[in-house]
Amino acid sequence: MRILTGIQPSGTPHIGNYFGAMRQIINIQEKGETFVFLADYHSLTTSPEPAQLRANVLELALNFLACGVNTEKSTVLFRQSDVPEVCELTWILNNVTPVGLLERAHSYKDKIAKGFSPNNGLFSYPVLMASDILLYQSNLVPVGKDQKQHLEITRDIAIKFNNQYGEVFTIPDELIPEEVAIVPGTDGQKMSKSYNNTIPIFGKEKEIKKAIMNVVTDCKQLEEPKDPDTCNVVALYKLVATPEELEEMKAKYRAGGYGYGHAKLALFDKLWAYFEPMRKRRAELEQNLDYVWEVLRKGAERARAEATVTMAKVREAVGLR
């Protein structure tokens, strides 16, 4: 089985990245050959500063390795831009992708509504994502619930290409664990750097505590009973708490006399302890950056070898070779 996922290097990864995608990869990486890419081409849709983009790539590589991606066994970690064949495939797939399919993509509409510049890269983002997946003949793609439509678009493009040119691409399936399908941000929306509502994985202690204390709740007073099933704090707490700890917090909510401040401090303690081993591993990696760059170099070699095989089939199919 070929497993693939990617995350944009657009800053320090947050717990939404981890629980929505990174942990899934870590948990299943030994069940098949796993490709994990740092999606720097995708980052260009928001025109980041060049120096910042380069720094973000290293930051993301450090965090993937610190969180448990195992490149010594079955996982290939690489930069998207180290495999330029993905751009060639994107152009070819553009020519079989209906405009209407892209116009229905809710992610584009959401970002435009949030004030993002409506450039063509943002509009055709799903085609590049399709190329990322299809280039490596991926069988399974762990994604957040918000990316489910993009994977459906990938499937549509692959089927259309195969129908027109022959069976070239593997049709991928998604992996979306419902319990962590969407991680709420501090404002209650999906956690996203684009919305400035994140809780970082490797931030300073005060920074993380401040973010957690800013999680939006209702205005019920300390003594009032509260509904744990509609609370953003509880939704985040359940990501790191045991079932017993979660039920204990829910009982306190329903009984009253337990404030949101208490719940937020409990959430901070659990998150801080959960990521402690990863913080230590990351500190070690920061002292050995040559190792990190070597991991990316080897990953790019392996990924490009696979891309070369796929593109030979694609070029032959469409008549370019």
Side-chain angles (χ1 to χ4, degrees):
M1 180 171 62
R2 176 70 54 74
I3 305 163
L4 178 134
T5 194
I7 296 180
Q8 285 193 40
S10 52
T12 302
H14 52 74
I15 66 170
N17 296 141
Y18 177 79
F19 290 108
M22 294 173 75
R23 188 171 68 167
Q24 296 175 48
I25 281 290
I26 292 162
N27 288 342
I28 68 172
Q29 61 184 332
E30 294 185 9
K31 295 183 179 179
E33 188 176 26
T34 304
F35 282 58
V36 181
F37 67 92
L38 316 179
D40 47 356
Y41 278 144
H42 283 291
S43 293
L44 295 177
T45 61
T46 56
S47 302
E49 289 294 325
Q52 187 61 55
L53 177 56
R54 296 185 190 102
N56 288 347
V57 166
L58 176 60
E59 175 83 9
L60 186 53
L62 282 167
N63 292 325
F64 261 124
L65 293 170
C67 287
V69 165
N70 189 349
T71 58
E72 302 300 323
K73 290 188 177 181
S74 60
T75 303
V76 180
L77 181 66
F78 63 100
R79 283 185 295 192
Q80 181 187 31
S81 61
D82 280 339
V83 187
E85 285 82 359
V86 74
C87 293
E88 180 184 1
L89 181 57
T90 298
W91 175 250
I92 292 172
L93 294 184
N94 270 326
N95 292 283
V96 299
T97 303
V99 172
L101 190 63
L102 301 180
E103 288 177 334
R104 292 191 292 274
H106 56 69
S107 178
Y108 175 76
K109 297 175 184 177
D110 290 345
K111 284 183 168 55
I112 297 307
K114 297 270 182 199
F116 283 74
S117 174
N119 59 57
N120 187 59
L122 199 61
F123 179 70
S124 61
Y125 177 104
V127 186
L128 179 55
M129 181 172 171
S131 297
D132 292 323
I133 296 167
L134 300 176
L135 187 61
Y136 306 105
Q137 304 291 355
S138 310
N139 304 106
L140 190 64
V141 184
V143 292
K145 193 173 183 179
D146 60 306
Q147 290 290 324
K148 178 177 173 61
Q149 186 191 41
H150 282 170
L151 192 59
E152 291 170 347
I153 291 173
T154 296
R155 291 171 56 86
D156 289 343
I157 292 172
I159 290 169
K160 192 172 190 301
F161 185 96
N162 286 352
N163 286 341
Q164 184 170 341
Y165 293 110
E167 296 296 319
V168 173
F169 295 122
T170 300
I171 308 301
D173 291 316
E174 76 272 5
L175 173 64
I176 308 176
E178 285 301 320
E179 66 274 14
V180 293
I182 295 181
V183 177
T186 56
D187 59 358
Q189 299 184 87
K190 184 204 77 168
M191 188 174 290
S192 170
K193 289 181 284 287
S194 301
Y195 303 153
N196 195 30
N197 64 355
T198 64
I199 299 172
I201 298 174
F202 297 108
K204 301 293 185 182
E205 184 174 357
K206 288 184 178 179
E207 177 190 7
I208 294 174
K209 182 177 286 188
K210 180 179 179 181
I212 291 171
M213 298 307 290
N214 285 334
V215 173
V216 171
T217 60
D218 61 32
C219 299
K220 289 185 178 179
Q221 299 300 308
L222 171 67
E223 65 278 2
E224 294 182 82
K226 303 166 183 67
D227 183 0
D229 298 325
T230 60
C231 180
N232 295 317
V233 180
V234 177
L236 291 167
Y237 187 72
K238 74 177 182 180
L239 297 172
V240 289
T242 65
E244 294 76 17
E245 289 168 336
L246 178 60
E247 288 306 313
E248 181 181 356
M249 177 177 281
K250 287 184 175 182
K252 290 178 179 179
Y253 264 61
R254 298 184 181 107
Y258 186 74
Y260 291 122
H262 297 123
K264 290 176 181 180
L265 288 175
L267 171 60
F268 168 76
D269 288 341
K270 292 297 294 184
L271 279 174
W272 187 254
Y274 184 91
F275 287 107
E276 175 65 21
M278 302 175 206
R279 285 195 299 273
K280 290 181 179 179
R281 173 60 175 155
R282 191 184 188 286
E284 294 170 357
L285 289 166
E286 285 181 317
Q287 301 304 311
N288 191 7
L289 294 182
D290 287 345
Y291 167 77
V292 177
W293 289 118
E294 181 65 8
V295 165
L296 293 179
R297 186 191 66 77
K298 289 181 177 179
E301 283 185 356
R302 174 69 188 90
R304 196 162 190 191
E306 185 67 30
T308 299
V309 173
T310 298
M311 286 310 302
K313 295 177 181 177
V314 171
R315 294 182 191 122
E316 178 69 23
V318 301
L320 294 177
R321 294 288 188 276

